[in-house]
Amino acid sequence: MADKPKTGRRAFLKGGLAAAGGLAASKAAAAPDTAITKVQPWRKELGPGVDESGYGLPSPFESKVQRRNVPWLTVDTKTSINFTPIHHLDGTITPNGLCFERHHSGVAEIDPAQHRLMVNGMVERELVFTLEDLMRFPRENHVYFMECTANSGMEWRGPQLNGVQFTHGMIHNVQYTGIPLRLILEEAGLKPGASWLLAEGADAAAMTRSIPLDKILDDCLVAFRQNGEALRPENGYPLRLVVPGWEGNMWIKWLRRLEIGDKPWHAREESSKYTDLMPDGTARRFTWAMDAKSVITNPSPQAPITHGPGPMILTGLAWSGRGTIPRVDITLDGGKNWHKARMDGPSTPFALHRFYYDFNWDGGEMLLQSRATDSTGYVQPTKDALRTIRGVNSVYHNNGIQTWFVNELGEAENVEIS
Ligand SMILES: Nc1nc2c(c(=O)[nH]1)N[C@H]1C(S)=C(S)[C@@H](COP(=O)(O)O)O[C@H]1N2
Ligand SMILES: [Mo]
């Protein structure tokens, strides 16, 4: 703030503190603040040495920052799902240990020496690669979000989960290091008529998805690192498919086989699951790209406002499976007035974007919403607009606008405006 006096932010802060200043001044007069007047223990003694574990952890004072699950969500919720604490994070990168997890048969604990990637089907040469073989292909680095197709899926019929971690936390955004799949397929040689790829995981679910070859050859990766280090076991160690902008279910973890064909396979995860049940009873399939979406992470039910009226920072995340997010608008009054949020940090296709709205809270109730516009011009719809077309039987692809009601105490609640 102080290094940007041009914005007028300093004057604004001063004004705000002066408004609440009576309080601060009288407190100082009554009892000195020991955090400034006393010599703290960590100033008197030599601290502990360098990290002995060899792999560092966050400060113990940050222990509340945790992936969490919703106990009633699935019968086997402990082995199958948890959520990223997006209300505890800032910037755009998700730390590896906080990336949400979704497993259909638990984590495959793979010995990399015993892992192979096989390419078969409509290819000139069927191939099997060791990890060492793969390390000799040229690699690339890209930051991408991955959103579970069912993120916000529990909110179709109305507000249900009282926390942004649970309504929007099936998303993470990391830097992948991986091999363009195009290069691996060039090595195998595609036969004429090849147009689809089946990706298969090595977990007990043997998860399989059909993906059009156009997408595969365009930008898909076989990734082996996230944020510089090896993939975590829960995120697909040692290999995972990266399908930029498309639904999380297609990002096959523990990747072991790529089959080339000329039509989709209609696997379980693209027929009975991950299709969109419409009001007339038919199911929409192959809705792969994740539509533009945004959410205010702070304040939110798990992150209430803890200060009085005056300057405050509202922040959140926005993303689109079709490009970047040039614009997010914010309303404090349930949509009567909209304000342009300040986009901050990198803006690259298929990655999370961070927005801020810095304003002066009057201490009154608010109905907060954010609305994303992506680089194609598409505007995030209201939940009612989505329901008009899709009905209420859906689980997947809910990108509707989220509303938080904030009371005078700063507490927030998941609500909808009708
Ligand atoms: N092999 C395999 N791949 C998988 C899954 C799985 O259970 N097995 N789950 C899918 C689903 S539904 C999602 S949302 C993402 C979750 O990835 P994450 O655990 O890294 O967040 O992986 C996808 N890939
Ligand atoms: Mo998912």
Side-chain angles (χ1 to χ4, degrees), residues 81 100 102 104 146-151 170 247-250 274 396:
I81 191 158
F100 86 94
R102 175 74 182 101
H104 289 69
M146 191 207 71
E147 184 182 18
C148 174
T149 332
N151 200 20
M170 282 199 275
E247 59 186 22
N249 183 259
M250 303 176 95
Y274 303 99
Y396 308 113

Side-chain angles (χ1 to χ4, degrees), residues 209-282:
R209 284 293 302 251
S210 310
I211 304 167
L213 260 187
D214 289 349
K215 174 69 174 173
I216 292 289
L217 299 175
D218 181 25
D219 60 3
C220 292
L221 303 173
V222 173
F224 48 93
R225 287 178 178 270
Q226 62 186 104
N227 293 328
E229 66 177 4
L231 291 173
R232 294 286 174 96
E234 59 268 38
N235 304 115
Y237 180 85
L239 295 176
R240 121 169 276 171
L241 186 64
V242 167
V243 192
W246 287 19
E247 59 186 22
N249 183 259
M250 303 176 95
W251 297 48
I252 302 298
K253 300 191 278 191
W254 313 295
L255 185 67
R256 71 175 293 271
R257 191 169 70 92
L258 303 165
E259 182 175 341
I260 304 299
D262 57 4
K263 49 187 171 314
W265 281 258
H266 303 294
R268 174 183 182 268
E269 312 297 333
E270 55 205 20
S271 50
S272 108
K273 298 284 182 289
Y274 303 99
T275 47
D276 310 323
L277 191 54
M278 302 296 278
D280 67 359
T282 61

